[in-house]
Amino acid sequence: MHKYIAEFIGTFWLVLGGCGSAVLSASFPELGIGLLGVSLAFGLTVLTMAFAIGHISGCHLNPAVSIGLWAGGRFPARELPWYIVAQVIGALIGAGVLYLIATGKPGFELSSGFAANGYGEHSPGGYDMISALLVEIVMTMMFLFVILGATDARTPRGFAPLAIGLSLTLIHLVSIPVTNTSVNPARSTGVALFVGDWAVAQLWLFWVAPLLGGLLGAIFYRMVSGTWRDREEADQRRQQESKPSHAA
């Protein structure tokens, strides 16, 4: 249970810190942090939680990351459902706390977006569904590629949180204008359920694209890193060792 609670807390922090920066601080009069600040906020949530709970749960905070790590041979399938449930609940509670804070300001309206992800008329830059699909798939794919590489046993230890947090910052810098950046189905679900209407109607894309991107990232990393070849060789050795000996 410690792992699932850690994932709950970590995803809660990601939504409260990342989406909170977008809702409360991005355009604050005269002192707004803007796109750069929101991007950095999302990266910092992952960076800080990677140090805080990485040794407990691995700090996935994202169903696409859990799926990608499973596809990359780093995570058992039996734990996937529980991780995803914990992440979605953490995102919902994080969005709930953010809603309670945001509604304390006169004039606040959910129709302003509440950091929900969208395409078409609900894209910050007016990008269509194809652009949204493409950016979410590619950005999640590269995110998983970085995660698998930074946490590979052959890389220097201790620097993975920096690489992963900065990677997420870069992803937001590129894709906020297109979809408001998801790359995380739990993050998208948490705020979408509060917005309702169009945010829920478009939520399917922010599950399908990140999950597909996570799988592709794992596939490409295993191809590039040679881990598939190592696994195949190990399987072949086990098969040879398991054959009965016919020696007299």
Side-chain angles (χ1 to χ4, degrees), residues 19-148:
C19 294
S21 70
V23 172
L24 305 175
S25 305
S27 58
F28 189 77
E30 299 180 9
L31 297 173
I33 60 175
L35 186 151
L36 177 59
V38 173
S39 301
L40 185 59
F42 272 100
L44 287 174
T45 62
V46 171
L47 172 62
T48 53
M49 273 297 152
F51 282 113
I53 66 170
H55 58 289
I56 301 172
S57 68
C59 191
H60 299 186
L61 317 186
N62 182 340
V65 170
S66 297
I67 291 287
L69 291 174
W70 163 75
R74 304 276 190 87
F75 190 67
R78 67 180 181 275
E79 294 193 21
L80 275 175
W82 302 109
Y83 263 59
I84 293 172
V85 167
Q87 291 157 1
V88 171
I89 293 174
L92 284 169
I93 300 300
V97 171
L98 177 58
Y99 176 79
L100 292 175
I101 295 170
T103 52
K105 178 182 178 180
F108 170 78
E109 295 180 356
L110 282 173
S111 59
S112 61
F114 200 53
N117 303 113
Y119 55 85
E121 64 178 312
H122 302 294
S123 158
Y127 291 84
D128 64 15
M129 184 181 71
I130 300 302
S131 295
L133 272 169
L134 186 58
V135 77
E136 289 292 329
I137 290 171
V138 173
M139 292 299 162
T140 314
M141 179 183 73
M142 295 309 301
F143 191 37
L144 261 295
F145 195 91
V146 170
I147 289 171
L148 288 166

Side-chain angles (χ1 to χ4, degrees), residues 135-195:
V135 77
E136 289 292 329
I137 290 171
V138 173
M139 292 299 162
T140 314
M141 179 183 73
M142 295 309 301
F143 191 37
L144 261 295
F145 195 91
V146 170
I147 289 171
L148 288 166
T151 57
D152 195 303
R154 294 168 290 183
T155 60
R157 295 191 176 276
F159 294 99
L162 288 171
I164 295 168
L166 290 174
S167 175
L168 189 61
T169 299
L170 176 58
I171 286 168
H172 279 76
L173 286 172
V174 173
S175 59
I176 283 178
V178 185
T179 62
N180 222 13
T181 308
S182 172
V183 302
N184 184 337
R187 168 259 190 271
S188 297
T189 301
V191 292
L193 293 184
F194 280 85
V195 175

Side-chain angles (χ1 to χ4, degrees), residues 191-206:
V191 292
L193 293 184
F194 280 85
V195 175
D197 192 24
W198 64 265
V200 172
Q202 296 188 356
L203 184 58
W204 67 270
L205 186 146
F206 302 104

